[in-house]
Amino acid sequence: MTDRANSSTSATNWRKPIPLATDVLEKPARMLPRMKLEELATVMCLTFAILEFYFPIGIVLMLFLCLYIAVVHGDFIYRSYLTLNRDLTGLALIIDVKIDLWWRLHQNKGIHELFLDIVRNNPNKPAMIDIEKGTTETFEEFNAHCNRYANYFQGLGYRSGDVVALYMENSVEFVAAWMGLAKIGVVTAWINSNLKREQLVHCITASKTKAIITSVTLQNVLMDAIEEKLFRVDGIDVYSMGEPKKNSGFKNLQNKLNVQKTTEPKTLDTIDFKSILCFIYTSGTTGMPKAAVMKHFRYYSIAVGAAKSFKIRSSDRMYVSMPIYHTAAGIIGVGQALLGGSSCVIRKKFSASNFWRDCVKYECTVSQYIGEICRYLLAQPVVEEESRHIMRLLVGNGLRAEIWQPFVDRFRVRIGELYGSTEGTSSLVNIDGHVGACGFLPISPLTKKMHPVRLIKVDDVTGEAIRTAGGLCIACNPGESGAMVSTIRKNNPLLQFEGYLNKKETNKKIIRDVFAKGDSCFLTGDLLHWDRLGYVYFKDRTGDTFRWKGENVSTTEVEAILHPITGLSDATVYGVEVPAREGRVGMASVVRAVSNEENETQFVERVGARLSSSLTSYAIPQFIRICQDVEKTGDFQFPTVFIKYISVPGTFKLVKTNLQRLGIMDTPSDSIYIFNSENRNFVPFDNDLRCKVSLGSYPF
């Protein structure tokens, strides 16, 4: 098998680089001086001149020059040859996407107008299928559904720029609500349906919403936050998609929608391709969830970019079981129907046991995934539907190299891995199915200048960019790891960073003086590895965030829940790796205040109850480490275990980093507890449970 074949089929990752035929040139190349491009060009010109007048000497010089180029640059030339087809395909894709986007910018139509073009061309084609409700709406029927929302809220006086928060589970209703409101310029805030109490209140209040639309099941969670006096809804209209809870003050929106007109709403405001469409919440790398500003053209670029990258067609049926409040499902998934004319099948919540049954029943051809979902599907017993499905493509991120090929072999699907962030200006796509990679960056200095994404070197501990004496960042070379940055250009709409609703948070994500004085880039907050063939692999998160069960968990957000607990003198939260699991699992190291009123078990139960009532299931730390002793360091107090691993006094981030290295290892002075999902509290992490975690069989 050739290196070219190996480069796209080997089950490798960044820890195990692919051996190449030119590896033998590495040592000789180090021994020879490396000429600059202009110096090499000068030598070549002189050689050709000598060849014309002194042929024998010229031949000798030519041989030496060829040998020099082969030794010093042979590896690069060979790697460029191996990746030529991929890089040219990627270049053509970038040009295609840019031309399409520039044309749409010239037309300046909003998403709602582009959707109407799809409706006119496919009036009787199935658009939205809701599995839970058992309903199917054609494009014409779904558009009428959207118009009910538009006409109702326009009748109440809602205008462009007003905000309505959507706190709903996956459903066709969610999509109809935001599309209908987009027709009159109302911005929708897509609230995570798993949130409760403090997190929920933060997201709602941050959006400055005038109304909240919730489902019948989630209205109880919303009422809990109100009854706990975490926020007031004075001046905010709260709607339930069904019968409201007694004495809640909520309004039954379903009844009001049933009597609304289904014609297009009046055009009272200018809504174009550059208008704000919605707010999508992202954890970033620190703090509470942030409302990322999503404009119409950004929504379009993500949805259409994915379709062009992975050849998603209008004849496809997209199966959506991921949370619609996220970019992956809400844009890449649903967007294929709204902008591409595909049909969309929506399930309320992912079910591993029903996945292939649904795909066969509804004739789905494309779906989405995160790495954790793929692992769940592989763990399922073989079912008949696996051999009968017509699924051809799964699009998503986070699929580990070790299960990539087994997944493809068993289920006979193509993987479309990608990497990007909701608020970022650029993304990466794996267009050739290279196992383990989330995308690629061209290795040629000629083609890489056309790609707005680069990797820069950062400090492994602090995550801060490493700079030269001149104050500029240091770009990574193939074979190195670094943080991904994407170019920001104010005069280019495609590379503008809209950031967050909170402008202070926006500025934190911009890094300046990167490759030239005065330039700026968006810093993703992730560490990636760039291998010698240009493939890029996700390595880790930086900052105070880790990823668990497909969600980003903010450690500061969890710490904010822990710190007010009485009897707790200090706490720090971080992510640790556990066997056979994607991402990192949450762990909290806490210090008890001296107390004779309760024992350690009672204290842990109280902490567990607090975490369970305030946090979503994926944000609850799965481990608690009780640190018994405290010593003073500088102006801070740290547990003994903190001191053992600290090297810079008073550097709290460094403490977290080293606690991550300790992980779930036992220490003589500490007690460790693990979260039991059945009783929603913590139990001692004994040897039996430790064995289950090691084998990957513990039900986190």
Side-chain angles (χ1 to χ4, degrees), residues 202-392:
H202 165 78
C203 290
I204 291 175
T205 54
S207 69
K208 299 178 181 178
T209 187
K210 290 182 66 175
I212 303 170
I213 302 176
T214 187
S215 65
V216 173
T217 51
L218 288 178
Q219 66 173 322
N220 293 325
V221 183
L222 188 59
M223 273 299 298
D224 174 63
I226 296 171
E227 289 170 354
E228 289 292 318
K229 295 183 172 51
L230 296 176
F231 82 122
R232 297 168 64 105
V233 291
D234 297 343
I236 300 177
D237 294 324
V238 184
Y239 296 94
S240 172
M241 293 306 302
E243 191 63 35
K245 189 177 180 180
K246 289 184 179 180
N247 303 319
S248 64
F250 297 176
K251 302 173 184 178
N252 189 327
L253 182 59
Q254 191 62 63
N255 289 344
K256 298 180 184 297
L257 293 177
N258 290 339
V259 297
Q260 295 302 309
K261 295 179 181 179
T262 59
T263 55
E264 295 299 319
K266 298 176 183 177
T267 303
L268 302 179
D269 301 294
T270 300
I271 309 150
D272 56 32
F273 207 47
K274 297 178 183 177
S275 299
I276 297 176
L277 177 68
C278 61
F279 301 141
I280 300 180
Y281 289 82
T282 174
S283 67
T285 54
T286 184
M288 295 287 274
K290 304 167 186 64
V293 177
M294 183 64 61
K295 292 191 173 181
H296 286 246
F297 73 83
R298 175 73 176 144
Y299 186 103
Y300 180 90
S301 67
I302 294 173
V304 173
K308 289 180 179 291
S309 298
F310 303 117
K311 306 293 188 296
I312 301 174
R313 304 182 288 259
S314 60
S315 58
D316 281 317
R317 277 200 172 189
M318 173 69 76
Y319 181 73
V320 176
S321 59
M322 304 277 288
I324 290 182
Y325 53 76
H326 277 330
T327 303
I331 301 181
I332 297 176
V334 172
Q336 305 311 317
L338 303 179
L339 299 172
S342 304
S343 299
C344 186
V345 179
I346 299 177
R347 173 174 273 280
K348 185 176 180 179
K349 191 175 182 181
F350 170 77
S351 167
S353 60
N354 287 311
F355 184 88
W356 295 114
R357 294 188 181 95
D358 285 346
C359 292
V360 170
K361 181 178 179 179
Y362 298 101
E363 300 178 328
C364 299
T365 57
V366 182
S367 185
Q368 295 176 286
Y369 73 87
I370 55 173
E372 196 75 12
I373 279 178
C374 294
R375 196 179 288 277
Y376 292 154
L377 291 175
L378 272 176
Q380 289 290 305
V382 176
V383 294
E384 178 193 356
E385 286 80 6
E386 287 181 30
S387 60
R388 293 171 48 207
H389 73 80
I390 56 174
M391 183 75 66
R392 64 179 183 85

Side-chain angles (χ1 to χ4, degrees), residues 664-666 672 685-695:
I664 58 175
M665 287 169 45
D666 203 4
I672 300 180
F685 190 39
D686 57 29
N687 289 333
D688 289 340
L689 294 176
R690 191 178 293 273
C691 183
K692 287 183 179 180
V693 170
S694 299
L695 294 173

Side-chain angles (χ1 to χ4, degrees), residues 73 134 139 223 284 286 292-293 304 402 413 418 436-437 464 489 502 606 646 651 662 677 687 699:
H73 301 287
F139 276 96
M223 273 299 298
T286 184
V293 177
V304 173
E402 59 266 24
V413 294
L418 50 81
E464 298 293 328
R489 293 179 187 151
N502 185 323
R606 193 158 51 83
I646 195 167
T651 306
L662 186 64
S677 57
N687 289 333

Side-chain angles (χ1 to χ4, degrees), residues 102 488-496:
W102 279 114
I488 297 174
R489 293 179 187 151
K490 292 183 179 180
N491 59 346
N492 185 342
L494 306 181
L495 295 177
Q496 287 180 1

Side-chain angles (χ1 to χ4, degrees), residues 337-538:
L338 303 179
L339 299 172
S342 304
S343 299
C344 186
V345 179
I346 299 177
R347 173 174 273 280
K348 185 176 180 179
K349 191 175 182 181
F350 170 77
S351 167
S353 60
N354 287 311
F355 184 88
W356 295 114
R357 294 188 181 95
D358 285 346
C359 292
V360 170
K361 181 178 179 179
Y362 298 101
E363 300 178 328
C364 299
T365 57
V366 182
S367 185
Q368 295 176 286
Y369 73 87
I370 55 173
E372 196 75 12
I373 279 178
C374 294
R375 196 179 288 277
Y376 292 154
L377 291 175
L378 272 176
Q380 289 290 305
V382 176
V383 294
E384 178 193 356
E385 286 80 6
E386 287 181 30
S387 60
R388 293 171 48 207
H389 73 80
I390 56 174
M391 183 75 66
R392 64 179 183 85
L393 171 69
L394 266 74
V395 180
N397 62 279
L399 183 55
R400 293 288 186 92
E402 59 266 24
I403 66 170
W404 186 307
Q405 201 59 50
F407 188 88
V408 170
D409 292 341
R410 175 175 169 181
F411 299 118
R412 301 170 290 107
V413 294
R414 178 189 167 210
I415 296 297
E417 179 86 3
L418 50 81
Y419 169 85
S421 59
T422 300
E423 68 275 39
T425 58
S426 302
S427 57
L428 300 175
V429 291
N430 182 343
I431 57 177
D432 62 356
H434 185 84
V435 174
C438 60
F440 73 95
L441 294 174
I443 60 175
S444 168
L446 298 176
T447 54
K448 72 182 182 182
K449 289 187 181 296
M450 295 196 64
H451 204 294
V453 173
R454 299 286 294 277
L455 299 187
I456 61 171
K457 294 184 178 180
V458 295
D459 186 281
D460 289 338
V461 174
T462 64
E464 298 293 328
I466 299 174
R467 296 182 179 268
T468 63
L472 299 179
C473 296
I474 303 172
C476 292
N477 294 314
E480 297 179 335
S481 299
M484 177 174 146
V485 295
S486 53
T487 305
I488 297 174
R489 293 179 187 151
K490 292 183 179 180
N491 59 346
N492 185 342
L494 306 181
L495 295 177
Q496 287 180 1
F497 176 51
E498 303 300 337
Y500 309 107
L501 196 57
N502 185 323
K503 294 306 174 186
K504 289 183 179 179
E505 296 294 344
T506 299
N507 291 329
K508 290 179 182 179
K509 297 296 289 185
I510 299 175
I511 182 171
R512 305 183 190 279
D513 297 334
V514 185
F515 303 114
K517 289 292 184 181
D519 71 352
S520 59
C521 290
F522 167 73
L523 185 62
T524 62
D526 291 331
L527 288 178
L528 304 175
H529 180 77
W530 189 21
D531 78 6
R532 292 170 61 203
L533 292 177
Y535 290 102
V536 178
Y537 306 82
F538 179 83

Side-chain angles (χ1 to χ4, degrees), residues 572-576 585-589 621-625 663-664 672:
T572 184
V573 179
Y574 46 93
V576 297
V585 62
M587 187 169 196
S589 287
Q622 298 298 295
F623 293 94
I624 289 181
R625 180 186 291 275
I664 58 175
I672 300 180

